């Protein structure tokens, strides 16, 4: 029992939150199995389960197969009775939706926005859209949290964004407070690549996996999930690979430096390199690559190879199980093929052995699912549940 509590980070075994934590980690379970895991008396366990059921935190999910006698009822944490508003804010694309705490996206909408957009335009649209979605689903009363993915770094203590240069109007904005004021719930903020990585971690269904998520759209970023948690690093900049410099390259980056991988292999870089072909925006690049236009395909493949040289070092250091690539450019097959080829050749032989490299299996929903998962971790944390049932 002590070993179980230590491994899943639980508090007092008498805590209602602890009951939900065990069900999330090991369920579904019968009452007898729960009693064995927790070491509670039958009367205490019955009281805890009644309290949790009243708060829609535990629900029956069928019966355990029995060779004789009455089948025992199975119980699980109820992750569908509450919902979260989930969203992602990018340099040229903004998405917002509603998901339950299992990560099932129930509604979503995306909007193309101009480069250099500001919170004054985007934030009201996201809040209004989320409210409409909740009303249409009949789930406004079930809203428990919000989770928003953004590029760049976030001060997790203050909820203030440290956005990339391409989103200067969003820099130093109190995003957590802005969304909390608009939705009246707690708000989780996460780097967009970390959100992608966490969504892919959940989709993999392998709790011990280390996942490297790579987002390639207007810019480039990476996120890492280790031991079931996004790894942010000592100062919150883990995964900021877009501004790693490539030797002997002099292209100017939006950050003001020269030779950054983002200046060579991002969607913004491809728009610049294809401008002579009439390309003006990111969707133009995507259309031309999908249509098989030779020049666009060649440049996308080259960009993938360049990014692969950077990721080869990252993979050798982190030694992940999975590499998942998303974003409007990252999802393009020629880009991913070039990346995978270089990564396989340049990463350390042992790190590359058995490495699963592929597109984000959740595609454009990866960040939304990741934010739903992080919202669930906050809402269903033992301490949060204990405060809820006591209050």
């Amino acid at each position: 029992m002590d070993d179980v509590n230590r491994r899943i980070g639980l508090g007092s075994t008498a805590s209602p939150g602890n009951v939900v934590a065990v069900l999330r980690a090991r369920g579904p379970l019968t009452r007898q199995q729960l009693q064995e895991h927790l070491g509670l008396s039958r009367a205490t366990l019955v009281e805890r389960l009644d309290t949790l059921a009243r708060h829609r935190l535990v629900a029956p999910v069928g019966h355990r197969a029995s060779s004789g006698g009455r089948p025992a009822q199975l119980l699980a944490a109820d992750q569908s009775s509450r919902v979260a508003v989930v969203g992602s804010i990018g340099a040229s694309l903004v998405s917002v939706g509603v998901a339950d705490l299992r990560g099932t996206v129930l509604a979503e909408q995306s909007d193309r926005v101009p480069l250099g957009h500001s919170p004054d335009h985007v934030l009201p649209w996201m809040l209004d859209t989320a409210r409409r979605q909740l009303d249409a689903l009949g789930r406004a009363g079930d809203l428990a949290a919000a989770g928003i993915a953004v590029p760049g770094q976030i001060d997790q203590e203050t909820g203030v964004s440290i956005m990339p240069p391409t989103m200067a109007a969003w820099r130093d904005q109190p995003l957590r407070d802005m969304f909390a004021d608009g939705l009246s719930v707690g708000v989780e903020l996460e780097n967009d690549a970390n959100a992608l990585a966490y969504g892919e971690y959940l989709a993999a269904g392998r709790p011990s996996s280390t996942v490297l998520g790579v987002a390639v759209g207007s810019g480039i970023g990476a996120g890492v999930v280790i031991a079931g948690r996004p790894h942010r690093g000592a100062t919150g900049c883990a995964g900021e690979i877009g501004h790693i410099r490539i030797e002997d390259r002099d292209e100017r980056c939006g950050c003001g430096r020269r030779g950054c991988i983002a200046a060579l292999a991002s969607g913004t870089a491809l728009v610049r390199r294809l401008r002579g072909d009439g390309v003006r925006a990111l969707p133009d690049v995507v259309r031309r690559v999908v249509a098989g236009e030779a020049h666009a395909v060649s440049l996308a493949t080259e960009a993938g190879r360049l990014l692969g040289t950077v990721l080869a070092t990252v993979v050798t250091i982190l030694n992940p199980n999975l590499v998942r690539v998303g974003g409007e450019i990252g999802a393009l097959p020629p880009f991913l093929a070039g990346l995978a080829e270089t990564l396989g050749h340049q990463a350390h032989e042992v790190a590359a052995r058995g490495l699963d490299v592929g597109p984000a299996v959740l595609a454009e929903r990866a960040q939304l699912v990741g934010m739903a998962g992080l919202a669930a971790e906050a809402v269903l944390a033992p301490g949060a549940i204990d405060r809820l049932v006591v209050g």
Side-chain angles (χ1 to χ4, degrees):
M1 181 179 67
D2 290 340
D3 185 54
V4 171
N5 291 341
R6 183 163 57 250
R7 278 187 280 129
I8 58 181
L10 306 180
S12 165
T13 56
S15 159
N18 188 70
V19 176
V20 174
V22 170
L23 285 172
R24 292 185 71 205
R26 303 193 178 277
L29 298 171
T30 66
R31 284 174 171 79
Q32 181 179 345
Q33 289 171 323
L34 258 179
Q35 194 174 349
E36 292 171 355
H37 278 299
L38 294 164
L40 298 177
S41 70
R42 184 176 183 279
T44 300
L45 180 60
V46 168
E47 185 274 330
R48 293 291 182 262
L49 291 174
D50 286 346
T51 298
L52 291 167
R54 286 198 306 274
H55 285 84
R56 299 184 303 159
L57 290 163
V58 168
V61 291
H63 293 82
R64 183 181 182 184
S66 174
S67 58
R70 184 178 178 181
Q73 187 179 60
L74 289 167
L75 298 172
D78 187 347
Q79 299 185 101
S80 61
S81 64
R82 288 170 171 78
V83 298
V85 167
V86 291
S88 64
I89 303 170
S92 60
L93 189 69
V94 178
S95 300
V96 66
V98 175
D100 65 23
L101 300 187
R102 297 174 302 180
T104 302
V105 177
L106 306 173
E108 64 178 307
Q109 185 174 341
S110 298
D111 190 28
R112 184 72 59 180
V113 290
L115 292 175
H117 59 80
S118 72
D120 292 341
H121 166 70
V122 172
L123 189 60
W125 176 84
M126 292 184 75
L127 292 172
D128 289 345
T129 301
R131 293 187 193 107
R132 287 196 302 271
Q133 291 170 336
L134 288 165
D135 289 342
L137 292 166
R139 302 298 301 267
D142 298 331
L143 181 62
I148 308 297
V150 299
Q153 298 167 247
I154 301 158
D155 185 326
Q156 290 291 342
E157 290 188 9
T158 64
V160 172
S161 62
I162 308 171
M163 293 288 200
T166 53
M167 297 177 65
W170 289 83
R171 192 175 182 86
D172 298 328
Q173 294 293 318
L175 290 185
R176 182 180 294 143
D177 288 346
M178 295 162 77
F179 279 99
D181 290 345
L183 295 170
S184 300
V185 291
V187 178
E188 299 299 309
L189 298 178
E190 190 54 78
N191 169 268
D192 55 355
N194 273 346
L196 183 153
Y198 196 69
E200 292 296 305
Y201 166 79
L202 295 174
R206 293 159 57 182
S208 62
S209 293
T210 296
V211 179
L212 172 64
V214 184
V216 188
S218 297
I220 296 173
V224 186
V225 175
I226 301 173
R229 292 183 176 275
H231 177 71
R232 300 179 181 127
T235 60
C237 71
E240 290 291 332
I241 63 171
H243 301 291
I244 293 175
R245 295 190 68 245
I246 303 298
E247 190 175 359
D248 298 328
R249 299 300 294 258
D250 196 47
E251 290 85 342
R252 179 173 290 279
C253 181
C255 72
R257 301 169 66 195
R258 292 183 178 274
C260 296
I261 187 64
L264 306 171
S266 68
T268 301
L270 289 172
V271 170
R272 185 187 69 246
R273 297 189 69 185
L274 287 166
R275 197 169 296 280
D277 293 355
V279 167
R280 294 294 178 266
L282 200 61
D284 299 333
V285 175
V286 174
R287 281 193 292 269
R288 287 170 184 260
V289 174
V290 170
E293 294 189 16
H295 191 210
V297 169
S298 175
L299 290 181
T301 304
E302 178 189 337
R305 289 179 179 139
L306 279 169
L307 182 55
T309 64
V310 171
L311 290 180
T313 300
V314 176
V315 162
T316 300
I317 293 171
L318 292 176
N319 193 197
N321 306 90
L322 306 172
V323 176
R324 291 291 179 259
V325 187
E328 292 183 271
I329 298 301
L332 296 172
F335 183 95
L336 184 57
L339 183 154
E341 177 189 3
T342 304
L343 186 54
H345 289 155
Q346 296 190 13
H348 189 282
E349 178 184 0
V350 177
R353 187 182 302 153
L355 180 65
D356 185 341
V357 181
V361 298
L362 296 172
E364 67 277 0
R365 283 188 168 179
Q367 292 182 14
L368 300 185
V369 172
M371 293 315 304
L374 292 172
E377 290 300 312
V379 172
L380 299 175
I385 289 176
D386 292 343
R387 289 189 294 271
L388 174 66
V389 300
V390 169

